[in-house]
Amino acid sequence: MKIKNKKDIGFGIFGILFSAWIMYYSICILPDAKNMNDPGPRLFPLIGAVIMFICSVIVLIKPEPVKLDKDGKPKRFLTKKQWVSAAVMFGMYILTAVLYYLIGFTATVPIMLFIITYLMSKQTYPDMPTKKRIIKALIFAVIAGALIYCAYILGLQARLPKGIIWKMLK
């Protein structure tokens, strides 16, 4: 049997190994819950690892068929424009981590929601005027940021990063 789509096989194996590492790390290294009713720090990484494991197995079992272009050659994985978009999104993850460290969770979430929503709206609705995209992204960032704040800070009473700048101002 000839393997037609090596990329999916590679991603499937990587996903299984990475999810196994996350499960190991969550079970063996993360601390136990402090309260009986608290799920502890292990719950969300384990849920994510199980979902990643299931998706990786599905990719291995049923890989996507190789798509061909007009000349009968396999299509490129990503175009140059898609690589640039992927690099920008990776940059957003780096910026998020830096902002968490500097200004904390509460201020970072609405800022990043605004930036990412604006960037995605540029891709999704290229004909929409810039002013309208900014207003929609701003409204979404404020509402979603408030809901996330209510869920984590008020509802779950989670202690999230404050940021070194806020700590220096106290």
Side-chain angles (χ1 to χ4, degrees), residues 77-91:
F77 175 58
L78 292 174
T79 64
K80 185 178 179 181
K81 187 176 179 181
Q82 291 169 330
W83 276 111
V84 170
S85 293
V88 167
M89 287 309 294
F90 182 74

Side-chain angles (χ1 to χ4, degrees), residues 21-167:
W21 178 78
I22 292 171
M23 286 181 204
Y24 167 78
Y25 184 82
S26 298
I27 293 169
C28 297
I29 297 176
L30 290 178
D32 290 331
K34 293 183 177 148
N35 299 334
M36 197 65 166
N37 296 332
D38 184 17
R42 295 179 180 172
L43 179 65
F44 287 120
L46 283 174
I47 290 171
V50 168
I51 291 169
M52 183 187 299
F53 180 82
I54 292 168
C55 292
S56 299
V57 168
I58 290 170
V59 166
L60 275 176
I61 292 172
K62 190 172 186 252
E64 186 176 313
V66 177
K67 294 179 180 158
L68 304 175
D69 62 8
K70 297 172 189 174
D71 301 329
K73 296 178 184 176
K75 276 190 168 182
R76 296 175 94 193
F77 175 58
L78 292 174
T79 64
K80 185 178 179 181
K81 187 176 179 181
Q82 291 169 330
W83 276 111
V84 170
S85 293
V88 167
M89 287 309 294
F90 182 74
M92 291 298 104
Y93 288 125
I94 301 297
L95 179 62
T96 301
V98 169
L99 287 178
Y100 276 155
Y101 179 74
L102 293 175
I103 61 175
F105 178 84
T106 307
T108 298
V109 169
I111 292 169
M112 293 312 298
L113 283 172
F114 170 75
I115 294 171
I116 291 171
T117 304
Y118 177 74
L119 290 175
M120 293 294 181
S121 71
K122 228 174 173 179
Q123 297 286 325
T124 310
Y125 303 109
D127 298 335
M128 185 184 290
T130 304
K131 187 175 181 181
K132 190 172 182 179
R133 276 201 306 264
I134 289 173
I135 291 170
K136 281 188 169 193
L138 190 61
I139 291 169
F140 174 77
V142 169
I143 292 171
L147 290 173
I148 291 170
Y149 177 84
C150 290
Y152 280 98
I153 306 294
L154 302 178
L156 295 173
Q157 298 176 347
R159 292 183 319 148
L160 297 166
K162 298 271 190 242
I164 61 170
I165 291 177
W166 299 120
K167 290 176 185 175

